[in-house]
């Protein structure tokens, strides 16, 4: 089943591009603990949703008319990610954000392995924060970051970008500094340092 699933997400029906390999491996790890027969039923439903996605011109119609809930977490988050990718391609950022938020909540509440959960939460939190930038919603992005802080270099790096975009330079520098506290190579550190905004008084007087 895992091999069939990974083969499918690489096929032309899968509208990936959201870290497909990372998601595929993470879900494959989850499937290795699940019932094979139940997975077969879920896999068929997953295929059907993706076929509808190819045929349906209006993403909102697909969401409203299709049951996107699955018994298996892996199928549900991948399905919502696929639909979110189509929404992104169509410039429907709020639709994509809503789907990512649903997936994030499901992952947060799940009992999957910590390593798998951490990978997925980092992936989805980045998508959510960057979409709030695209939409221009500071309050929602700020609330998400404060309520869902992940102690990782990637999370703090993305948070730094978010606050820099909205010109909250003090908080931006805080998150960039947090990111720099993690072990990484000099190239990565220099990349973050170059993106750090100047202090307010330095911007005004220099």
């Amino acid at each position: 089943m895992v091999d069939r699933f990974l083969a499918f997400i690489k096929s032309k029906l899968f509208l990936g591009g959201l870290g497909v390999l990372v998601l595929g491996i993470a879900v494959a790890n989850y499937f290795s603990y699940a019932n094979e027969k139940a997975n077969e039923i879920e896999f068929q439903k997953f295929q059907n949703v993706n076929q509808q996605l190819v045929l349906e011109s209006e993403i909102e119609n697909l969401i409203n008319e299709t049951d996107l809930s699955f018994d298996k977490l892996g199928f549900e988050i991948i399905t919502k990610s696929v639909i979110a990718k189509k929404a992104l391609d169509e410039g429907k950022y709020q639709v994509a954000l809503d789907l990512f938020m649903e997936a994030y909540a499901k992952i947060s509440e799940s009992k999957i392995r910590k390593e798998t959960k951490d990978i997925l939460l980092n992936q989805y939190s980045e998508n959510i924060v960057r979409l709030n930038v695209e939409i221009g919603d500071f309050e929602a992005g700020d609330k998400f970051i404060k309520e869902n802080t992940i102690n990782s270099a990637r999370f703090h790096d993305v948070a730094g970008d978010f606050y820099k975009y909205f010109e909250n330079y003090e908080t931006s520098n805080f998150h960039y500094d947090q990111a720099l506290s993690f072990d990484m190579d000099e190239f990565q550190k220099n990349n973050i340092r170059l993106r750090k905004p100047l202090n307010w008084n330095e911007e005004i007087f220099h």
Side-chain angles (χ1 to χ4, degrees):
M1 170 59 66
V2 171
D3 291 340
R4 289 177 59 202
F5 175 77
L6 292 175
F8 183 80
I9 66 173
K10 294 174 185 176
S11 75
K12 63 182 180 180
L13 289 178
F14 188 84
L15 304 177
L18 296 166
V20 171
L21 186 57
V22 171
L23 288 171
I25 292 171
V27 174
N29 287 336
Y30 177 73
F31 285 162
S32 66
Y33 296 97
N35 179 270
E36 186 74 15
K37 184 175 181 180
N39 274 340
E40 181 66 34
I41 297 171
E42 296 275 275
F43 182 66
Q44 291 300 321
K45 181 178 178 181
F46 171 75
Q47 285 184 306
N48 290 337
V49 172
N50 277 275
Q51 288 167 352
Q52 292 176 48
L53 185 61
V54 173
L55 299 173
E56 179 59 65
S57 59
E58 292 294 330
I59 194 76
E60 290 87 354
N61 291 341
L62 177 68
I63 294 172
N64 294 332
E65 298 172 6
T66 307
D67 180 12
L68 301 181
S69 61
F70 289 77
D71 292 332
K72 302 297 180 186
L73 172 68
F75 282 121
E76 182 163 343
I77 62 175
I78 290 291
T79 298
K80 289 181 176 178
S81 297
V82 175
I83 299 174
K85 175 58 169 60
K86 182 174 176 66
L88 287 174
D89 290 343
E90 296 177 358
K92 297 176 179 178
Y93 299 126
Q94 188 62 55
V95 173
L97 178 58
D98 291 343
L99 289 166
F100 284 137
M101 289 291 289
E102 290 176 16
Y104 187 93
K106 286 278 187 178
I107 297 164
S108 297
E109 297 167 358
S110 72
K111 297 180 180 179
I112 58 177
R113 292 191 308 166
K114 183 181 185 301
E115 294 84 355
T116 301
K117 178 181 282 192
D118 289 346
I119 291 171
L120 291 171
L121 289 178
N122 267 290
Q123 176 90 25
Y124 281 91
S125 66
E126 178 175 349
N127 292 336
I128 290 166
V129 172
R130 294 203 183 283
L131 274 171
N132 276 296
V133 170
E134 287 289 341
I135 294 169
D137 193 338
F138 172 79
E139 290 186 2
D142 178 55
K143 183 174 185 288
F144 177 83
I145 290 170
K146 289 176 177 175
E147 292 181 354
N148 299 277
T149 297
I150 299 172
N151 191 31
S152 72
R154 188 61 190 154
F155 180 89
H156 287 295
D157 190 8
V158 172
D161 289 345
F162 173 85
Y163 288 108
K164 180 181 177 181
Y165 178 84
F166 287 104
E167 300 181 354
N168 187 331
Y169 299 132
E170 182 177 355
T171 307
S172 174
N173 278 329
F174 167 79
H175 283 286
Y176 283 138
D177 287 339
Q178 289 295 304
L180 288 168
S181 70
F182 288 84
D183 185 29
M184 62 181 72
D185 60 42
E186 281 302 311
F187 177 81
Q188 291 173 303
K189 287 185 177 181
N190 287 333
N191 180 273
I192 294 173
R193 291 185 185 117
L194 287 171
R195 283 184 284 121
K196 287 184 65 176
L198 297 172
N199 292 329
W200 182 82
N201 61 335
E202 292 177 330
E203 291 185 314
I204 297 297
F205 297 109
H206 293 83

